[in-house]
Amino acid sequence: MIESRLISLLRRSKSVTQKFSSSNPREWKTFTTPCGFSNEHQSRFYSSLPRFIPAARTPVAGSCVGYGLRSLLQSNCKNFYKPPFRNFSTAASVSAKDTGGLKLLVTAGPHAQKAVGIWLFVSAAWVFSMVVLGGVTRLTRSGLSMTDWKFTGGLPPLSDEEWLVEFEKYKQSPEYKRVNKGMSLDDFKFIYWMEYAHRMWGRALGIMFALPFSYFLRKGYITVQLGLRLCGLFALGAGQGLIGWWMVKSGLEEPASEYAEPRVSPYRLAAHLTSAFVIYSGLFWTALSVVMPEPPAESVAWVQGAAKVKRLALPVSFLVGITAVSGAFVAGNDAGRAFNTFPKMGDTWIPEDVFNLKPLVRNFFENTSMVQLDHRILATATLFSIGGLWWSSRKLDIHPAIRSLIGSTMGMAALQVTLGISTLLSYVPVSLGTAHQAGALTLLTLMILLNHTLRRPSLQLLKTLPSVVKTA
């Protein structure tokens, strides 16, 4: 009985082998290849990407993710394979071998990749909104309205007695005594609600990040590499609340001079904003890596052109980041409300007091004149650098998506400089000041997207590319 079953199984196995060997070799190659999508599907996927980008709606084109044989079995052969319920997926090593060295951050199939990607893009968009809300809070002078802090937060005042208690606490602060003396309770409620919303929006982000993260860990969607990266970003997010209170606390202290206006330390404000930019950049880059493990590449010539652009894009990206950080020192020193003229600073090109402070290095971070001069120089250098990048890429043989992205970045840089000048000449209104801060993060978003698109493709993809793109 057993022998007859074995003979029957062997005959079936032989017939299946003959069937595959007699089939079209191209079809068999298509079945076993780790990349499951054609170039047409890749282009459609890249063209639909702007829906997920939180800051910029820039047209992008390129290639989709390729999955290894194990991922194919996970998504299409569930009856034969069940993934283990572990904290981190261990399929990364298998996929790396099957994809010619391409290490996928999500290896549980297209559905898992899409779910994790959307979650990370939403998280990045949430951080973007946090930066914008923080700018509104600062420009409306609401940041010092809450004089205490709890890590988990709490309910706002709900009765008239509770509001009076909070108002009395604020009356003891230097800002009330020197700036807002005589403020009404209704005016205090406005600035209190602004600061309270900013804090609770950040805590809500922590919950929104942690719950899906736990779910995806349970499902085994997240690899060890991705899990460690996300844990680091979550830790930075938790520390961001502490940095924020550390910043606010500096504004609750008595100023050194009786004529000085109470405000937070420019160093702490710069640390708070820079930390937010780092978290946003990490989330956005990771989200792009999840949904686009391969850059857009359809020929070797385009890959070589992208490599040339990348050598220019990296230093330009660094300059964009430095300019954004210098803007934090402009905000921390209220330098935007001084020298509200352009292109000159008052009646001169360079104010006489730019090196008044000792030691000399303090002028670059605490001297209002020098801080604004630095920001003007850096912003101008950024605009010309991006313009040079655009000009240099005009004659290069590069992917149309990269060319379009460089043009969008050039346009955004020009808009950002225009917003900065308008904000300065208008004496920093809340609307323009907020738009200028959002513009800085939008420009940074485009530079991140550009650098991600300029990555070198995997070895396996390079082997399949033609020398040049075939034109019809």
Side-chain angles (χ1 to χ4, degrees), residues 1-18:
M1 186 70 179
I2 298 177
E3 292 178 357
S4 62
R5 288 186 178 180
L6 288 174
I7 293 172
S8 176
L9 287 173
L10 287 173
R11 287 178 179 174
R12 290 182 183 178
S13 176
K14 186 176 180 180
S15 64
V16 171
T17 305
Q18 291 175 350

Side-chain angles (χ1 to χ4, degrees), residues 34 187 222 247 275 403 410:
D187 291 336
I222 297 178
M247 175 191 70
S275 177
R403 194 178 303 280
M410 178 64 204

Side-chain angles (χ1 to χ4, degrees), residues 3 12-13 20 31 38 45 55 65 71 107 117 124-125 186 188 249 255 271 277 280 285 287 339 348 425 448 464-465:
E3 292 178 357
R12 290 182 183 178
S13 176
F20 276 110
F31 178 79
S38 65
F45 178 77
V65 59
S71 297
T107 57
D186 289 337
F188 170 71
K249 194 174 180 181
F277 276 30
Y280 173 80
W285 181 276
F339 304 105
T348 61
L425 296 179
I448 294 171
T464 62
L465 295 177

Side-chain angles (χ1 to χ4, degrees), residues 172-245:
Q172 306 304 314
S173 67
E175 184 181 64
Y176 177 83
K177 295 176 181 178
R178 300 193 183 193
V179 180
N180 292 329
K181 194 173 183 63
M183 170 184 277
S184 66
L185 180 60
D186 289 337
D187 291 336
F188 170 71
K189 287 182 179 181
F190 171 78
I191 62 173
Y192 187 95
W193 279 120
M194 288 296 304
E195 175 64 10
Y196 183 82
H198 183 55
R199 295 187 184 189
M200 297 309 295
W201 195 242
R203 293 182 175 97
L205 171 60
I207 297 173
M208 194 280 298
F209 186 87
L211 292 181
F213 186 36
S214 302
Y215 172 78
F216 292 138
L217 282 178
R218 176 66 179 171
K219 297 288 288 184
Y221 289 176
I222 297 178
T223 60
V224 175
Q225 180 185 0
L226 178 59
L228 292 176
R229 187 185 303 184
L230 295 179
C231 285
L233 291 172
F234 184 75
L236 282 175
Q240 180 72 337
L242 296 172
I243 296 174
W245 171 243

Side-chain angles (χ1 to χ4, degrees), residues 54 120-128 130-131 202 205-206 208-209 229-244 271-287 441 444-445 448:
L120 290 175
F121 276 124
V122 171
S123 298
W126 201 304
V127 176
F128 189 96
M130 278 287 299
V131 173
L205 171 60
M208 194 280 298
F209 186 87
R229 187 185 303 184
L230 295 179
C231 285
L233 291 172
F234 184 75
L236 282 175
Q240 180 72 337
L242 296 172
I243 296 174
H272 189 51
L273 185 61
T274 303
S275 177
F277 276 30
V278 169
I279 295 170
Y280 173 80
S281 301
L283 284 171
F284 189 60
W285 181 276
T286 304
L441 196 50
L444 182 63
T445 300
I448 294 171

